[in-house]
């Protein structure tokens, strides 16, 4: 504690009867651990076990080979990894362990976890498991090869202004289920899933929340960007998500060949309040039963997608001649594309110039902000003059409201 440093470099830690390395008393008050270039192999329990990291402490785990341990590769067991503590797990090989590859119990109060450039494969349970990401914390998972684990990446709960950023990973061959799982619930936070390859997993490719019928078991009051991913050959849905009153951009992805014929396929969406959810410029083709199933309570905007055929998606009522992947009711699939877009294609909501609407007591177009919102079209800008406006606002389209 209190600024102390522990360095372990270039050791062989092999065949021990418990953990390979155990730090049982915790790391706290600005202390630091550096574990680099070690071989931690064939220990009876976890390769590395750390009980607590908190109060601005740091943990670097880099360049290690952690294989064949009877527990997890690295297990950080804490209910309070918090107050600015940071973990960097980089350029390791973590493979063939009997439980998790990497397990982190809790990240809270501005904690940081970076999982960067690792090979994490053939672990019996999750390759990466994070139990809680809360209270302004960040989890960055980038440039990893994650293959042949039970699940690939599993983050259990996310809330209160936190960031989960999953980019440039290959997540393949998960044996027990989901490739990437983002939260039993995901509240008031931000999700980025960008430039990943998620393929040939035994369940869903990308799952965001696990719907139980309650809005707080969903992606709620949050922002999610799912772009530039190749999601293919997964045994269930390519993407399954449960959305409530969140801003979601799902565009520029290739979502192909998913599903096993068990009423699954490309994309599944449930929830409510989809006014700022956009599914555009994707290639959604060759999926088993559905291209897009809307099981929620609002209409989905899924214009400008490729559905596998230039006749558009099959829709039993409105496009029975479509030869592309099937879409359900309550999906706006107009202006479908005649060929597959490139990966990372962008969506242009339209070339019309946004209107500017002013609000003010003296010379504004409206004296009420709500009246201006009601009159606006998607994309319009509402400029509000200084003043006091006592209103309960309801916004059901994508507009910009700002002060002058």
């Amino acid at each position: 504690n209190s600024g102390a440093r522990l360095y372990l470099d270039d050791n062989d830690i092999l065949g021990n009867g418990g953990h390979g390395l155990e730090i049982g008393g915790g790391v706290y008050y600005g202390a630091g651990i550096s574990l680099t270039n070690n071989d931690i192999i064939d220990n009876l329990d976890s390769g590395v076990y750390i009980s607590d990291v908190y109060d601005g402490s740091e943990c670097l785990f880099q360049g290690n080979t952690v294989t064949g341990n009877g527990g997890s590769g690295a297990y950080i067991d804490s209910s309070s990894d918090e107050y600015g503590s940071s973990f960097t797990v980089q350029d390791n090989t973590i493979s063939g362990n009997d439980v998790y590859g990497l397990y982190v119990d809790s990240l809270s109060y501005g904690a940081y976890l970076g999982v960067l450039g690792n090979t994490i494969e053939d672990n019996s349970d999750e390759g990466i498991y994070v139990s809680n990401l809360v209270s302004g914390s960040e989890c960055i998972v980038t440039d990893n090869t994650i293959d042949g684990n039970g699940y690939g990446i599993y983050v259990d709960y996310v809330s209160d202004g936190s960031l989960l950023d999953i980019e440039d990973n290959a997540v393949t061959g998960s044996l027990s289920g989901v490739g990437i799982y983002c939260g039993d619930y995901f509240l008031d936070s931000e999700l980025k899933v960008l430039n990943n390859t998620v393929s040939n997993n035994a369940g869903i490719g990308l799952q965001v929340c696990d719907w139980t019928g309650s809005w707080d078991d969903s992606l709620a009051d949050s922002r999610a960007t799912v772009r530039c991913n190749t999601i293919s050959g997964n045994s269930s849905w390519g993407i399954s998500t449960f959305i409530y009153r969140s801003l979601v951009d799902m565009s520029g992805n290739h979502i192909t060949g998913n599903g096993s014929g068990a009423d699954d396929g490309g994309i599944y969406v449930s929830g409510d309040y989809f006014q700022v959810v956009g599914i555009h410029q994707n290639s959604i083709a060759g999926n088993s039963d559905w291209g897009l199933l809307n099981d929620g309570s609002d209409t989905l905007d899924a214009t400008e997608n490729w559905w596998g055929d230039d006749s558009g998606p099959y829709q039993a009522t409105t496009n029975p001649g479509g030869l592309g992947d099937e879409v359900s009711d309550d999906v706006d699939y107009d202006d479908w594309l005649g060929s597959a877009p490139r990966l990372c294609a962008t969506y242009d909501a339209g070339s019309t110039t946004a209107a500017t609407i002013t609000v003010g007591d003296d010379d504004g177009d409206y004296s009420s902000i709500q009246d201006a919102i009601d009159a606006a079209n998607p994309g319009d800008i509402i400029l509000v003059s200084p003043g006091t406006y006592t209103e309960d606002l309801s916004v059901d389209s994508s507009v910009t409201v700002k002060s002058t």
Side-chain angles (χ1 to χ4, degrees):
N1 63 38
S2 301
R5 290 290 186 270
L6 169 65
Y7 298 94
L8 288 173
D9 178 66
D10 200 22
N11 300 282
D12 293 333
I13 305 174
L14 314 174
N16 296 286
H19 304 300
L21 169 66
E22 179 176 357
I23 300 174
V27 184
Y28 51 96
Y29 300 138
I33 299 174
S34 177
L35 308 176
T36 56
N37 304 310
N38 301 285
D39 288 340
I40 306 172
I41 299 172
D42 292 337
N43 299 286
L44 186 63
D45 209 323
S46 293
V48 175
Y49 177 89
I50 303 172
S51 69
D52 261 323
V53 180
Y54 55 95
D55 285 342
S57 296
E58 298 178 356
C59 180
L60 173 65
F61 191 67
Q62 184 172 18
N64 301 284
T65 298
V66 187
T67 64
N69 296 286
S72 298
Y75 194 105
I76 301 169
D77 182 10
S78 174
S79 60
S80 57
D81 296 320
E82 57 186 359
Y83 299 116
S85 294
S86 68
F87 308 82
T88 302
V89 180
Q90 186 168 7
D91 298 331
N92 302 282
T93 296
I94 304 173
S95 65
N97 299 288
D98 283 353
V99 191
Y100 306 104
L102 169 67
Y103 178 98
V104 179
D105 191 23
S106 178
L107 295 164
S108 57
Y109 297 103
Y112 166 84
L113 170 65
V115 185
L116 317 170
N118 302 280
T119 297
I120 302 174
E121 58 188 12
D122 299 328
N123 299 286
S124 295
D125 289 335
E126 286 78 357
I128 300 169
Y129 186 105
V130 178
S131 179
N132 291 290
L133 179 66
V134 299
S135 302
S137 297
E138 295 184 4
C139 178
I140 312 297
V141 182
T142 303
D143 289 320
N144 300 282
T145 298
I146 302 170
D147 179 66
N149 303 285
Y151 280 49
I153 301 169
Y154 194 105
V155 180
D156 214 349
Y157 301 104
V158 183
S159 66
D160 302 319
S162 296
L163 169 65
L164 176 58
D165 188 352
I166 301 172
E167 298 192 34
D168 299 307
N169 303 282
V171 184
T172 59
S174 296
L175 301 176
S176 301
V178 177
I180 301 175
Y181 183 91
C182 303
D184 278 2
Y185 60 69
F186 201 107
L187 307 178
D188 301 303
S189 294
E190 183 171 7
L191 171 66
K192 296 180 180 180
V193 182
L194 308 172
N195 301 301
N196 301 283
T197 297
V198 185
S199 62
N200 300 320
N201 297 288
I204 297 166
L206 168 64
Q207 183 171 355
V208 183
C209 298
D210 193 1
W211 182 250
T212 64
S214 172
W215 71 268
D216 54 2
D217 290 318
S218 65
L219 179 74
D221 298 320
S222 295
R223 178 174 182 171
T225 305
V226 180
R227 276 189 47 75
C228 308
N229 301 286
T230 298
I231 300 175
S232 63
N234 299 288
S235 295
S236 184
W237 294 98
I239 298 175
S240 175
T241 184
F242 303 85
I243 301 168
Y244 182 86
R245 207 169 54 198
S246 289
L247 176 63
V248 179
D249 174 12
M250 191 182 298
S251 63
N253 304 286
H254 286 182
I255 304 165
T256 60
N258 299 287
S260 59
D263 201 29
D264 47 26
I267 304 173
Y268 174 90
V269 180
S270 189
D272 201 357
Y273 296 100
F274 297 157
Q275 291 91 341
V276 286
V277 176
I279 303 174
H280 308 292
Q281 289 290 325
N282 301 286
S283 178
I284 305 170
N287 299 290
S288 64
D289 294 300
W290 296 95
L292 173 57
L293 172 58
N294 179 6
D295 200 25
S297 304
D298 203 355
T299 299
L300 279 171
D301 180 3
T303 55
E304 294 190 23
N305 292 290
W306 166 248
W307 300 97
D309 193 89
D310 61 9
S311 61
Y314 173 77
Q315 213 294 324
T317 303
T318 57
N319 194 35
L323 299 177
D325 280 18
E326 184 172 358
V327 299
S328 68
D329 294 336
D330 300 316
V331 174
D332 180 0
Y333 58 84
D334 284 347
D335 302 321
W336 63 76
L337 303 177
S339 61
R342 61 178 177 82
L343 189 66
C344 286
T346 57
Y347 173 66
D348 182 0
S351 59
T352 57
T353 302
T356 299
I357 301 171
T358 59
V359 177
D361 289 335
D362 297 329
D363 54 359
D365 297 321
Y366 297 91
S367 60
S368 160
I369 300 173
Q370 186 64 63
D371 288 345
I373 291 171
D374 293 342
N377 293 311
D380 286 352
I381 299 170
I382 300 171
L383 297 179
V384 182
S385 297
T388 300
Y389 301 84
T390 304
E391 304 181 49
D392 292 322
L393 299 180
S394 174
V395 182
D396 60 4
S397 64
S398 179
V399 298
T400 298
V401 182
K402 60 183 181 180
S403 63
T404 58

